[in-house]
Amino acid sequence: FIINSAAYTNVEKAEKNSTLCYEVNSDAVKNLAVLCNKFKSHLIHLSTDYVFDGTKSIPYTENDATKPLNVYGDSKNKGDEYIKNSGCDYIIFRTSWVYGPNGNNFVKNILQKAILNDKLEVVCDQYGSPTSSLFIAEIIEKYLNIQSLNNFTAPNEIFNLCPSGSTSWLNLADTALKHAHKINPKYKTNLVSIGSKQYKTLAKRPKYS
């Protein structure tokens, strides 16, 4: 088994650094899939909810058509397609709004900015399912254990992997700060609700994923 959790994940910078983004999220994944097919390795690959355009108002299923809005989403979607067409054994987990103790993520950024700013503007009209990196690791571990115990290779499949429920970026920021404040009073700031149109970015993002 090969677990690929490597990716270029800076959605905003991907718009300017598209060549590097596609090299990491598309081309490198294609090479990995080819090697997995050659050496009969089973590829476990992490993808993203940003392969969708966010125009739905009910949760996306695995059978919904992909239509990414930005370079990052398109690069990940191309990587997924390369895997599917490579002939290797695979499972693709599409994750969403990943946060955790390591790496760079929204929750950590909010906590860091809260220490330095009295007021933070956060988008209120984009909705998704925050997913813990620890939760993703637990699911992968369970998947590997099932494969090992049954000596069984599951059919090639894509799963949308996230916990139940959904929220907005604003709600996620508010919840994170409230929990952090209980631990340390320094985590306290005034959150200001703004719409996507007010928050100027290079990359378009799905409003509902």
Side-chain angles (χ1 to χ4, degrees), residues 23-198:
E23 284 178 351
V24 175
N25 294 345
S26 305
D27 300 339
V29 172
K30 181 179 182 179
N31 293 339
L32 190 58
V34 169
L35 288 170
C36 284
N37 185 40
K38 179 179 178 180
F39 293 103
K40 305 305 176 186
S41 295
H42 190 101
L43 180 59
I44 300 173
H45 177 71
L46 298 184
S47 188
T48 175
D49 57 327
Y50 274 30
V51 298
F52 299 117
D53 63 7
T55 56
K56 288 186 69 174
S57 57
I58 58 173
Y60 280 88
T61 73
E62 288 80 359
N63 295 322
D64 283 322
T66 57
K67 191 178 180 182
L69 298 176
N70 52 51
V71 169
Y72 166 71
D74 188 56
S75 69
K76 293 292 288 183
N77 190 50
K78 280 183 168 59
D80 295 351
E81 290 301 314
Y82 284 145
I83 292 171
K84 290 160 61 178
N85 295 323
S86 69
C88 77
D89 291 328
Y90 68 85
I91 185 166
I92 297 172
F93 289 123
R94 292 189 188 128
T95 63
S96 64
W97 293 25
V98 179
Y99 66 93
N102 301 311
N104 186 37
N105 57 74
F106 177 80
V107 172
K108 287 179 70 176
N109 287 339
I110 286 294
L111 296 179
Q112 291 166 1
K113 289 179 179 179
I115 299 173
L116 303 173
N117 300 275
D118 296 326
K119 183 176 73 173
L120 289 178
E121 294 182 339
V122 183
V123 172
C124 66
D125 58 354
Q126 293 177 17
Y127 296 89
S129 296
T131 307
S132 164
S133 59
L134 301 178
F135 173 75
I136 295 170
E138 288 173 3
I139 296 299
I140 291 175
E141 184 180 33
K142 289 180 185 295
Y143 177 76
L144 289 170
N145 286 338
I146 290 171
Q147 299 283 60
S148 176
L149 288 173
N150 296 336
N151 193 27
F152 168 71
T153 301
N156 297 334
E157 193 65 84
I158 296 178
F159 289 105
N160 296 340
L161 174 59
C162 64
S164 59
S166 61
T167 190
S168 66
W169 289 120
L170 178 67
N171 253 347
L172 178 56
D174 184 54
T175 301
L177 286 171
K178 284 178 178 176
H179 280 284
H181 182 69
K182 293 177 182 177
I183 300 170
N184 191 327
K186 72 178 181 180
Y187 292 109
K188 186 178 181 180
T189 191
N190 179 31
L191 292 178
V192 178
S193 173
I194 63 170
S196 298
K197 292 182 179 179
Q198 295 171 267

